[in-house]
Amino acid sequence: MKLRLRLVPLDFLLIPFRSKSDFFISTPIFYVNASPHIGHLYSAVIADAAHRFNIILGNNSVFSTGTDEHGTKIQQAAASCNTPLSEYCQSISSKFKKLFKDCDINYSNYIRTSDSKHRYAVQTFWNTLSHRGYIYQDSYSGWYCDADEAFVPDNQVTKIVADGKEVPICADSGRPVHWVEEENYKFKLSLFQNEVRYWLEKDSVRPEKFKRQIIRWIDEGIMSSDLSVSRPSKRVHWGIPVPNNPTQTIYVWLDALINYLTAVNYPDLYIWPPSVQVLGKDILKFHGIYWPAFLMACDLEPPKMLLVHSHWTVDGEKMSKSRGNVVCPFEASKLFTSSGLRYFLLREGTPHSDSNYSETKALRILNSELADTLGNLLNRCCALTINEKQEFPKFNETSFEKYSKDAASDLISSVNMLQDEVKRHYTDFNFYRGINLIISSLHLANKFFEESKPWKLRKCDKSSQHLECVLHLTMETLRICGIALLPIIPQISSLLLDKLSIPSSSRNWNNMSPSWITNTSHSVSLNADKVILYKKIQSSK
């Protein structure tokens, strides 16, 4: 087919958000060919932490997730379980919902591609593409990867020797491919190279290494030919039919990508475009090339940002079924608790490079940071032997200047910058860096508390103001860190803030200014309930 150059106005790339308070974040919808694993949960906790962070910033945030339930692999998985397709999809989707409930994934919308409202959105989107002249019927031949449910360009196919035979595989994924010839519909992907490049020039894909990867694909010709967007229904029957042509099923990736539109009521969108779309690096091509092109063809804005994260290894090895080392998040949360698992994933996960899951490392971090550094500090300053009045004492500037300004100078400097610096790291989705600053402040609070010897001050009536000052600084640090940790470990943070009698209305980001800066606080009685923030794990057994 002879390619035509297409020039279109790019004004849609400059359209601002309809409201500064609008924040729309999504995870990919997760494929139901198997039960959820730790990588799925990692995508979800990143999005959930960003969603919760935006809420306490005061933004109106929408968070979408769900399950992808169509395609060849689902047909095969259901057949292998000897289960009807709809029952199989319901079973696996329910496992994802349970995992998300257990791990405090506070989504706004849960999309299933088998739902009727999603089918309506997909067929409406298809009709728009068709009416605008971007879909046409043609024959297609090429290498096809069943595992990826995608055709693979010739230049991305290589061969390996297995059992003495040459086997063609996809160079990117290492998965086998086979030759297919069939009639289907094509999308004029080749017309959108310039627009996609222009979108990439913005801060649209993070980390930067993944943007460079997309540009390399374009340079290698991935957009030089058109994209097959349907499959014969006799081969892929479990999917959404092409409107007015039941012999064809809509390509599973076009179907799946439309879920982000379904989530916000397409075609009557109440918020668009997505602020951030969280995804694993293995599905970058579909989100970084096909997705913006589909949207541009319908005059819809592409996502403001794709946040791409790397994968998890297990004890230094790639996680895979063949190795038998796939981490089950249900089992991991039994050992670490759901809060502990969330904390470990966000504490150790780095978007730019693969992270290592180690049970030994997780036990060490959780015991040290959640049980000891955070939990033990709260217990000590709330103990009757030290805090007889069971109060969070008010800030006293005179006592502060006399007893703690110099003794707690390192702690004060650390806490002073938490509100701005943690916000900066959370805004950049570098949650691990924000957590590191919080833990550093808590270490300094423990050091200050220990060096102040409040158990001795308690025994001397003349030292009551000094003791109250020590308790206030320690509890004020806990209060500020508790707010900062709300997006990371909402259950534990809420327990901490409840113990300190901090009202719900005072748990927003603008409440993180320290009392010694605002000089506004009053004594409050501690919650009488006994609290264990995180019970120390003795062993994996």
Side-chain angles (χ1 to χ4, degrees):
M1 183 185 74
K2 188 174 181 180
L3 298 179
R4 296 185 292 110
L5 290 176
R6 174 179 178 270
L7 297 175
V8 298
L10 297 171
D11 294 346
F12 69 86
L13 289 173
L14 305 176
I15 297 174
F17 270 135
R18 65 184 63 184
S19 167
K20 288 183 179 179
S21 65
D22 284 345
F23 184 81
F24 174 21
I25 191 165
S26 67
T27 70
I29 49 173
F30 303 108
Y31 214 40
V32 298
N33 63 320
S35 296
H37 59 66
I38 206 76
H40 300 134
L41 182 59
Y42 182 51
S43 294
V45 295
I46 290 173
D48 183 71
H51 172 60
R52 290 176 181 273
F53 172 56
N54 271 272
I55 289 173
I56 62 176
L57 284 177
N59 293 335
N60 176 28
S61 181
V62 175
F63 170 23
S64 174
T65 189
T67 45
D68 181 2
E69 303 180 16
H70 289 146
T72 308
K73 286 192 290 185
I74 308 304
Q75 293 174 187
Q76 295 168 346
S80 68
C81 295
N82 197 27
T83 305
L85 277 160
S86 58
E87 288 182 24
Y88 174 82
C89 291
Q90 173 64 36
S91 171
I92 303 297
S93 187
S94 295
K95 289 182 180 180
F96 278 95
K97 277 193 169 182
K98 183 180 187 311
L99 176 64
F100 293 165
K101 181 180 179 181
D102 291 350
C103 293
D104 298 310
I105 307 301
N106 187 31
Y107 54 80
S108 313
N109 296 303
Y110 188 94
I111 303 302
R112 295 182 60 190
T113 58
S114 57
D115 286 344
S116 58
K117 74 170 185 175
H118 177 70
R119 176 174 174 153
Y120 172 75
V122 171
Q123 291 188 323
T124 301
F125 192 88
W126 177 281
N127 286 333
T128 302
L129 288 174
S130 181
H131 292 156
R132 295 175 69 86
Y134 294 119
I135 291 180
Y136 61 97
Q137 203 163 2
D138 197 8
S139 59
Y140 194 98
S141 60
W143 296 103
Y144 191 77
C145 177
D146 285 329
D148 293 331
E149 305 238 21
F151 283 100
V152 179
D154 289 348
N155 63 0
Q156 292 183 32
V157 175
T158 186
K159 292 185 178 180
I160 61 171
V161 176
D163 297 327
K165 297 179 180 178
E166 283 193 339
V167 178
I169 63 167
C170 174
D172 282 340
S173 66
R175 292 166 172 164
V177 297
H178 58 94
W179 190 259
V180 169
E181 296 182 12
E182 61 190 22
E183 288 288 321
N184 55 33
Y185 288 87
K186 290 183 180 179
F187 168 71
K188 295 179 180 179
L189 179 68
S190 55
L191 300 184
F192 293 90
Q193 291 188 67
N194 290 338
E195 288 93 325
V196 172
R197 280 184 182 274
Y198 185 85
W199 170 69
L200 288 167
E201 289 174 8
K202 312 296 181 183
D203 192 16
S204 52
V205 179
R206 297 187 193 173
E208 176 74 18
K209 63 185 280 189
F210 296 114
K211 181 171 82 172
R212 293 196 300 268
Q213 176 64 67
I214 297 173
I215 293 171
R216 277 196 299 271
W217 283 331
I218 295 174
D219 289 342
E220 291 167 358
I222 195 171
M223 296 188 73
S224 61
S225 58
D226 292 342
L227 177 68
S228 170
V229 288
S230 73
R231 304 288 183 263
S233 53
K234 63 184 179 182
R235 181 163 70 85
V236 185
H237 62 84
W238 183 241
I240 298 174
V242 168
N244 303 315
N245 188 351
T247 67
Q248 293 282 314
T249 302
I250 294 173
Y251 174 40
V252 68
W253 268 105
L254 175 55
D255 169 355
L257 289 164
I258 303 306
N259 93 86
Y260 306 121
L261 290 163
T262 306
V264 289
N265 205 40
Y266 178 80
D268 302 315
L269 299 171
Y270 62 83
I271 178 173
W272 196 261
S275 313
V276 185
Q277 298 201 266
V278 179
L279 58 134
K281 64 181 181 180
D282 55 319
I283 53 175
L284 176 61
K285 176 178 68 175
F286 306 99
H287 286 78
I289 291 177
Y290 303 158
W291 179 223
F294 290 149
L295 290 169
M296 292 168 183
C298 289
D299 275 356
L300 290 169
E301 297 175 67
K304 295 291 182 183
M305 184 199 305
L306 300 182
L307 178 66
V308 188
H309 65 76
S310 298
H311 291 165
W312 283 85
T313 60
V314 180
D315 294 324
E317 292 189 344
K318 184 178 179 181
M319 188 167 58
S320 69
K321 290 180 183 177
S322 60
R323 287 188 171 93
N325 65 348
V326 175
V327 178
C328 172
F330 293 106
E331 293 301 317
S333 63
K334 285 180 184 177
L335 174 59
F336 304 131
T337 75
S338 58
S339 293
L341 185 56
R342 277 182 69 109
Y343 183 82
F344 177 74
L345 292 175
L346 291 168
R347 179 75 164 111
E348 288 296 298
T350 54
H352 52 79
S353 57
D354 288 350
S355 306
N356 186 46
Y357 179 93
S358 163
E359 191 174 289
T360 302
K361 182 194 286 186
L363 285 169
R364 187 184 74 248
I365 288 173
L366 297 175
N367 282 339
S368 171
E369 297 183 1
L370 293 188
D372 292 342
T373 303
L374 179 64
N376 195 41
L377 182 62
L378 178 68
N379 292 340
R380 294 179 78 186
C381 63
C382 294
L384 269 170
T385 53
I386 291 175
N387 191 338
E388 185 181 22
K389 295 179 181 179
Q390 288 295 282
E391 285 185 346
F392 183 164
K394 69 179 181 179
F395 175 71
N396 184 306
E397 187 173 9
T398 302
S399 298
F400 175 74
E401 294 284 341
K402 182 177 180 179
Y403 298 117
S404 298
K405 189 172 184 180
D406 292 331
S409 59
D410 289 343
L411 172 60
I412 291 164
S413 296
S414 180
V415 173
N416 284 350
M417 57 82 170
L418 284 181
Q419 186 175 29
D420 291 336
E421 287 299 299
V422 175
K423 180 180 179 180
R424 179 169 65 86
H425 291 312
Y426 283 7
T427 301
D428 288 339
F429 308 97
N430 290 319
F431 294 105
Y432 68 101
R433 290 180 176 172
I435 295 169
N436 191 55
L437 292 177
I438 296 165
I439 293 300
S440 294
S441 291
L442 289 169
H443 282 316
L444 290 169
N446 274 281
K447 182 173 182 287
F448 165 71
F449 190 86
E450 188 71 22
E451 291 176 348
S452 297
K453 297 180 173 59
W455 53 91
K456 289 187 176 180
L457 299 175
R458 165 73 179 81
K459 296 176 181 179
C460 178
D461 291 339
K462 293 180 180 180
S463 300
S464 60
Q465 289 185 340
H466 189 176
L467 174 61
E468 287 186 357
C469 189
V470 170
L471 290 174
H472 178 84
L473 260 69
T474 305
M475 291 182 173
E476 181 69 349
T477 301
L478 283 165
R479 181 189 72 83
I480 291 167
C481 290
I483 295 173
L485 285 169
L486 274 169
I488 311 300
I489 40 174
Q491 279 191 27
I492 289 176
S493 294
S494 295
L495 279 174
L496 186 156
L497 295 168
D498 287 347
K499 181 63 180 177
L500 297 179
S501 297
I502 307 302
S504 299
S505 59
S506 299
R507 299 182 185 186
N508 298 314
W509 207 263
N510 60 10
N511 299 124
M512 282 178 62
S513 297
S515 57
W516 49 86
I517 292 178
T518 62
N519 198 13
T520 54
S521 76
H522 57 275
S523 296
V524 294
S525 297
L526 298 176
N527 189 311
D529 294 340
K530 187 176 180 180
V531 170
I532 299 176
L533 292 185
Y534 192 81
K535 188 175 181 180
K536 202 162 188 175
I537 305 168
Q538 297 304 318
S539 73
S540 62
K541 297 179 181 180

